[in-house]
Amino acid sequence: MNDFSAGDGSGLVDLIASFLGSGIDHPSSPSELVREPSNSPADSLEAESNIVGHDSQLNPPVRVVVFSKDRPWQLQQLLLTMKLPFPNGQHYSDRGSMLRVDIFVIVHSSSEEFSRGYKSVMHSTASRDDNSIRERWQVHFLFEQGGDDANQNTNPDNEQSNSFSRILKHVLTHDDENSCHNHDIPGSLPLNTGESNQGVIMFLTDDCLLLEPLEAILLCAIGSLSYHDTHSPSSGSVFNFIARLHPGISWSQTRGVSSPPPRNQFKFYSLSSCDGVYLYSREFASVEWNYPFDLSGGVYCRSDILSLLKTIEDNDGLSSPNVFELRCNEALKKHFSSTNLHLDSSRKSLTAIPTRPFVIILAVNRVQEVFKVPLASPSITATVIGNGHRIDPSNTYDLLKLLDNKTNLDLERYKTTLYNTSHIGEFFLSCPSCHQSSIDSMNADPPDQTVSSETIIGHVLLSPKLSVLIPVNRGPPESAAHAIISIILQPFEKVNNSYILNANSASALLPMQIVLVDDRCKDGSIQTMVTTAENLVSLLKISMRVRDFRTNTQTHSCGQLLDGEVSAITVDIIPTLRPGVAAALNHGLKYCQSDLVARMDADDIAAQNRLLTQLLFMRANPKFDVVGTSALIFSAQTNGDNKEMFSSTLPYCDACLEVGVNSVQKCNVIGTSLLVSDPGFLSWSMLFSCSIPHPSVLFRKSAVEKNSCYDENITCCEDYDLWLRITRNNCRSITSIPILGLWHRKHGQSQSIMESANQKNEADLSSYKAMKLLLETSGRENDLSLKSVSTLRNPSRAQSPRDVDAAALLLQNVESAFIELHSQCLTLEEIRLVHLDVNFRMAELAEKFLNESIAWKLWGERCPNQQLERLSLLCHSNLRKRTN
């Protein structure tokens, strides 16, 4: 029996309902995959102000434990991506370190060749002759027994042996004040208690690569582990920070199943004005998102690790890194609320993840036999390096040749490639003789963009690297000033309270063109934007030119010219020809001189590094036409009565104050817009809602023009209509980078609020047209109605079971047509995500009228294992009937 039905007097349902009582809340919708951006205050958190400070004495000591077996070259690559203070200074940040960090590398080598490789890596990571650095960053190599010296006693119970068990316990438990040197393992390893338990421990494996400096990752981790909800203690605190997860992860490579993130559960927790993390409860997560103890990028409070260690050390839990990970997860699953662990499940119920990719795992070879997980790329082909050697990445002996040839992985290429899983199989090498080849090639002008010049009052204007298109109808002026500040400061980084031009960002983004389209602006926002820009470039000592096409005038701001003759910033002010945002965008697009155009609204704020990340991605991936980012939805209005709202400092508030802009500094984060990064699945979800914030996108002007630009007959959903037309023939033309790129303002003057009813109607019509064309193209019967599309987009609009039935049948029809039409370009993971999303949407439809609709039967056929969910819905329905 695959389903439950409940007619009048259904014995089973009535029996269960009689035990539940009338006080049970109605269960939430089973659908938790991709939905329209949530504006619920529950998407943010009010937390005590326990932000990581800039004084190293305020930060806890950090231990980074790295496990490496027979992979010295991959270990070297991991250490390089940490951006540690190596002797050559190539990967050292002159800004110094805020943290005290000890890195313990626990090495197991099965042959003399690997031992020599590890010693080579060890010597290459010798400390700098800089006492201030050595006091805070130290790398310790600890060799397991039987690897470096096979003649020594390997009995793990022997007090004098260097077994994995003994080394690990020493690394985790030795006193913070004691220095740990190579092979210097004390004879006694008691578990420390009290104040010595303070600190943070991060675990890494040698196949990890860091996409951000280790210090940045640790600061985020420490900030998230300090979280505590002061207004709602039952919300819990954070047990772990998993650096390898981010909102773009939707697939588990190790298990071969879909693993969509619990987006509806994510709560944004701000650590500073330019950074933050997402928190979620593991209770609502599964697969990758409910794996609490992770050696590949997991960060934990030391006291919690010591509690775990006491639980598993007598149960063969320390024989190898993989067994250690397995036993810890088993202990957490069985005893998370146990007093033996000193972990209260109500306090430690949350997991924190970064807002952008921090760690990837290069799963191209296997050196352990505990977990028989598949490699990410089992049929990977050999790679030829400069001297003619053929390298098979699955062969760890082959990788030793890369160590001898000083060949490194191409980190920049990994940064500009989208991955929907933590474990990847791509093997990208960079030539040692051209260390900057990848970044230079991405910074260079794209081949389809010709460089022209013209002389205007002694200044040469090169075609810009990027055009930023901003229609301006109303600001208000202080919000508009904040918006343009966030654009001009994109090539800069803040160092010691000053904005310094970043060389890589400047070469990629400058010269930059900002196109302001005057869409009947009457509140002075445009003039405020120009004045603010002039004051800011004067402070930054860069040059800017303003061309006002409304009056055919131009002005110049003094400052440093690029290459001695090029203005860094050009601001063009264009009068619109017709009212409406679509007409303003089309007209402004004609003045954009770069093929790469970024969108912004006059009341939003671009997050730090947004434009650089998008621009480098588009240059490295010419197959994409549009790329968006995630967004935070905020309100500048204060609401002291709502304690669930999280108060955060807006980006670039300091710069606003420096140039005299009286902009709001504090805001309420009222929601998040977290996008999918799988392009095929993004195109699918686009059929039901606009899945990408318009002000967050960067697109190719040529692609937009090829698709007839914006439809000027549409007043509110011009972007949604355009994205649907672009993805119609190529479902992989639009994607999203899993970064927080935009702070999206909502206030009383927002056009999307004032015209919400019209927006819903236009969105329904755009979705209807797209589904109609999809069904016609695939040769299916086309009997859909606008009402059925509206119900499918929002099941709460259904007025009868008949409405739900029409929407449910349409959903299955659209699913088959979409997969059939795009079968050649959809990946297996994307097809499974589509099926999973249809299951969720079908459940959402079925919930409306339960077993009175066809949707209920279809849900049962698609998801026979969800009988308990259906029974729960029927029971609560009976309870409501009895109460009424």
Side-chain angles (χ1 to χ4, degrees), residues 11 17 53 75 83 95 152 188 214 264 273 287 359 385 414 509 540 554 637 674 695 745 841 875:
L75 171 65
K83 308 296 185 184
R95 286 174 290 176
Q152 295 186 22
S188 177
L214 177 61
N264 289 351
S273 62
V287 196
V359 176
I385 59 177
Y414 286 109
L509 296 175
L540 299 173
Q554 55 186 320
Q637 299 174 354
L674 301 174
R745 189 187 306 263
R841 293 181 187 276
C875 291

Side-chain angles (χ1 to χ4, degrees), residues 52 106 251 263 297 336 369 414 501 572 608 655 679 730 760:
V52 178
I106 302 179
W251 183 259
R263 289 187 179 88
F336 217 106
E369 299 300 328
Y414 286 109
L501 195 64
D572 289 333
Q608 189 175 12
N730 181 5
K760 291 177 181 178

